Amino acid sequence: MSGVYARRFARRLSVLTATAALTVTGLLATAPTAQAAMPTPVSAATARTYLASLTVKAEGSSTGYSRDLFPHWITQSGACNTREVVLKRDGANVVTDSSCAAVSGSWFSPYDGATWYAASDIDIDHMVPLSEAWKSGANSWTTAKRQSFANDLTRPQLIAVTDNVNQSKGDQDPAEWLPSVTSYRCTYVRAWVHTKYYWGLSVDSAEKSALQSVLNGC
């Protein structure tokens, strides 16, 4: 190779190397961050043990129930309330404004396998619904305890999901409703049992049977 061609080859190699480096850097800078999730529920084995210890009784009455008795989406820090904290936790590349509202990002809903790019398409589901909790023992709690339950970020009680899927779930228990994504049902019932056990809530017989059935397949 002549000196002229050698110098041209060296310059091209240098440019290609620099371009490749910039490309890799750009990919690293724009690659989506790993999506977080609700706190991991107990194992299936532990959930089975917990379930066996729960009080089994007929579901109570909804008389006197009101969502206002479970003050939720309380301020967690600064301008951020519980909903906004969960949106940030469960989303990927979530950007918030000065009031802590999510203005961009993406959210994967494990209940139905859908991905959304607007926070308005996302509900924060109470794994054990507030009405279900009321009928399972929370009717006798203090308002302060119900507030803690409704904003529980430590147990697997809050999760970001597709809004209309959350609405279709309503206050139904696992004997009446389970996620359409069957591979998620094990996680779902583990979280349900974990939450009910921690908060000392009862289960009815149909609910317990449904939970046992799913857990036996985990």
Side-chain angles (χ1 to χ4, degrees):
M1 182 183 293
S2 70
V4 172
Y5 284 119
R7 287 192 294 274
R8 287 177 181 174
F9 179 80
R11 284 197 300 272
R12 287 174 183 173
L13 182 60
S14 177
V15 169
L16 286 171
T17 302
T19 301
L22 287 171
T23 300
V24 170
T25 302
L27 287 172
L28 290 173
T30 60
T33 58
Q35 183 155 312
M38 68 177 181
T40 302
V42 294
S43 68
T46 300
R48 285 191 285 268
T49 300
Y50 282 3
L51 180 59
S53 72
L54 294 181
T55 298
V56 180
K57 60 188 293 186
E59 198 168 75
S61 170
S62 59
T63 300
Y65 167 73
S66 168
R67 288 179 67 84
D68 293 340
L69 295 172
F70 292 79
H72 53 290
W73 307 168
I74 61 172
T75 299
Q76 292 292 339
S77 64
C80 301
N81 66 28
T82 308
R83 170 183 164 83
E84 291 155 348
V85 169
V86 177
L87 283 172
K88 180 78 171 179
R89 181 197 72 188
D90 289 5
N93 297 323
V94 177
V95 176
T96 56
D97 63 17
S98 58
S99 64
C100 202
V103 295
S104 65
S106 66
W107 292 267
F108 175 76
S109 169
Y111 288 3
D112 58 335
T115 298
W116 302 95
Y117 297 91
S120 58
D121 290 319
I122 297 297
D123 275 359
I124 306 305
D125 179 38
H126 286 96
M127 177 63 63
V128 175
L130 304 182
S131 175
E132 165 69 20
W134 176 269
K135 294 178 286 188
S136 303
N139 60 322
S140 66
W141 293 352
T142 63
T143 300
K145 185 172 181 179
R146 287 192 288 263
Q147 175 176 294
S148 295
F149 172 82
N151 297 275
D152 188 0
L153 293 167
T154 305
R155 264 64 54 180
Q157 162 66 345
L158 299 173
I159 183 171
V161 297
T162 302
D163 54 2
N164 64 330
V165 172
N166 180 51
Q167 291 151 25
S168 72
K169 170 185 171 178
D171 64 355
Q172 299 177 92
D173 69 35
E176 304 158 318
W177 189 93
L178 287 168
S180 61
V181 176
T182 56
S183 61
Y184 193 72
R185 290 180 179 178
C186 183
T187 301
Y188 183 85
V189 300
R190 285 162 47 213
W192 182 282
V193 172
H194 185 158
T195 300
K196 280 218 160 179
Y197 177 84
Y198 177 84
W199 289 97
L201 297 169
S202 63
V203 292
D204 63 49
S205 57
E207 176 188 355
K208 182 174 182 178
S209 294
L211 291 165
Q212 285 177 323
S213 178
V214 177
L215 285 172
N216 288 340
C218 292

